[in-house]
CSV table of all heavy atoms in Angstrom, one decimal:
chain,number,residue,atom,x,y,z
E,73,ILE,N,64.1,130.0,88.7
E,73,ILE,CA,63.3,130.2,89.9
E,73,ILE,C,63.1,128.8,90.5
E,73,ILE,O,63.0,127.8,89.8
E,73,ILE,CB,62.0,131.0,89.6
E,73,ILE,CG1,61.3,130.3,88.4
E,73,ILE,CG2,62.2,132.4,89.4
E,73,ILE,CD1,59.9,131.0,88.3
E,125,ARG,N,62.5,121.1,86.1
E,125,ARG,CA,63.1,119.8,86.6
E,125,ARG,C,63.1,119.6,88.0
E,125,ARG,O,62.9,120.6,88.8
E,125,ARG,CB,64.5,119.8,86.0
E,125,ARG,CG,65.4,121.0,86.6
E,125,ARG,CD,66.9,120.9,86.4
E,125,ARG,NE,67.7,122.1,86.8
E,125,ARG,CZ,67.9,123.1,86.1
E,125,ARG,NH1,67.7,123.1,84.7
E,125,ARG,NH2,68.5,124.1,86.5
E,170,ASP,N,64.0,126.7,84.5
E,170,ASP,CA,64.9,127.5,83.8
E,170,ASP,C,64.1,128.3,82.7
E,170,ASP,O,63.4,127.7,82.0
E,170,ASP,CB,66.0,126.7,83.0
E,170,ASP,CG,67.1,126.3,84.0
E,170,ASP,OD1,67.2,126.9,85.1
E,170,ASP,OD2,67.9,125.5,83.6
E,183,ALA,N,74.5,125.7,62.0
E,183,ALA,CA,74.2,124.8,60.8
E,183,ALA,C,74.3,125.8,59.6
E,183,ALA,O,74.7,125.3,58.6
E,183,ALA,CB,72.9,124.2,61.0
E,286,SER,N,81.2,118.8,13.3
E,286,SER,CA,80.3,119.5,12.6
E,286,SER,C,80.6,120.9,12.0
E,286,SER,O,79.8,121.6,11.6
E,286,SER,CB,78.9,119.6,13.4
E,286,SER,OG,79.1,120.5,14.5
E,326,TRP,N,78.8,122.5,33.9
E,326,TRP,CA,79.0,123.1,35.3
E,326,TRP,C,77.7,122.9,36.0
E,326,TRP,O,77.8,122.6,37.2
E,326,TRP,CB,79.4,124.6,35.1
E,326,TRP,CG,79.8,125.1,36.4
E,326,TRP,CD1,80.7,124.5,37.3
E,326,TRP,CD2,79.4,126.3,37.1
E,326,TRP,NE1,80.7,125.3,38.3
E,326,TRP,CE2,80.0,126.5,38.4
E,326,TRP,CE3,78.5,127.3,36.6
E,326,TRP,CZ2,79.7,127.5,39.0
E,326,TRP,CZ3,78.2,128.5,37.4
E,326,TRP,CH2,79.1,128.5,38.7
E,336,ILE,N,78.1,114.0,45.9
E,336,ILE,CA,79.3,113.1,45.8
E,336,ILE,C,79.9,112.9,47.3
E,336,ILE,O,80.7,112.0,47.4
E,336,ILE,CB,80.4,113.7,44.9
E,336,ILE,CG1,81.1,112.8,44.2
E,336,ILE,CG2,81.2,114.8,45.6
E,336,ILE,CD1,81.9,113.1,42.9
E,347,TYR,N,78.3,116.6,54.6
E,347,TYR,CA,77.7,117.2,55.8
E,347,TYR,C,76.3,116.5,56.0
E,347,TYR,O,75.9,116.2,57.1
E,347,TYR,CB,77.5,118.8,55.6
E,347,TYR,CG,77.0,119.5,56.6
E,347,TYR,CD1,77.6,120.0,57.8
E,347,TYR,CD2,75.5,119.8,56.6
E,347,TYR,CE1,77.0,120.7,58.8
E,347,TYR,CE2,74.9,120.5,57.6
E,347,TYR,CZ,75.7,121.0,58.8
E,347,TYR,OH,74.9,121.6,59.7
E,368,ILE,N,70.6,123.1,48.9
E,368,ILE,CA,70.8,122.4,47.8
E,368,ILE,C,69.8,122.7,46.8
E,368,ILE,O,70.1,123.2,45.6
E,368,ILE,CB,70.9,120.8,48.0
E,368,ILE,CG1,72.1,120.4,48.7
E,368,ILE,CG2,70.8,120.2,46.6
E,368,ILE,CD1,72.2,118.9,49.1
Side-chain angles (χ1 to χ4, degrees):
Chain E
I73 50 176
R125 62 166 178 261
D170 276 350
S286 68
W326 188 46
I336 211 164
Y347 180 86
I368 290 173

